[in-house]
Amino acid sequence: MPRPDVGAGSGGRRAAGWAAGPLAGLLAGLLAGLLALAGCTTDPAPSAGPKELVQPIQRARQQALVEGRTPAPQPTVLSYCYSRLINTPEQLAYEAGEACTERGGRLVFYGEDAVLTPCPLLQPVRATYLCYPAE
């Protein structure tokens, strides 16, 4: 028994061939967009530091100002979002070290977290450093 032509009602064109063109274009565009987006996020991105670390430093400074005292030197919190698949610990330390050196300070690694951070999806981990002022 002969097989009926799949595209018989469409002027001899196969329905699957017609649909693959727009779908292939859409997938190619989506892939190109994701690759471009991934290319933009290879360097560690500066981020807000953890609230449990930043807020006590801010409160101590504000309290001293309210009391009319000169605030004691406080460390600067440096946080970076990164991807463990793309970035190395050395790259993060270099980025933080450069920022700390500009302030004339001493850099200390505080820790990292990946839960409920303000980091983008492609860089989900936040590394935090403390830059202590020069003595």
Side-chain angles (χ1 to χ4, degrees):
M1 176 171 200
R3 291 180 53 191
D5 188 28
V6 174
S10 59
R13 287 183 287 151
R14 293 180 150 282
W18 178 81
L23 183 60
L26 178 66
L27 290 175
L30 181 62
L31 180 61
L34 287 174
L35 287 174
L37 185 61
C40 294
T41 59
T42 58
D43 291 334
S47 173
K51 288 182 183 178
E52 67 273 5
L53 182 62
V54 173
Q55 287 177 347
I57 293 171
Q58 291 174 339
R59 271 190 239 121
R61 178 173 173 74
Q62 290 170 349
Q63 185 64 33
L65 291 173
V66 166
E67 294 172 359
R69 297 182 287 118
T70 301
Q74 298 288 334
T76 302
V77 178
L78 302 171
S79 291
Y80 295 90
C81 294
Y82 75 100
S83 170
R84 290 180 178 145
L85 299 174
I86 299 171
N87 307 111
T88 64
E90 292 81 17
Q91 185 180 14
L92 290 167
Y94 176 79
E95 293 282 334
E98 288 289 311
C100 189
T101 302
E102 291 173 5
R103 295 172 170 85
R106 179 178 55 90
L107 187 69
V108 175
F109 179 70
Y110 176 77
E112 61 182 35
D113 55 334
V115 178
L116 299 175
T117 64
C119 295
L121 184 62
L122 296 176
Q123 293 180 314
V125 183
R126 175 176 59 188
T128 301
Y129 296 85
L130 295 173
C131 178
Y132 288 93
E135 297 174 13

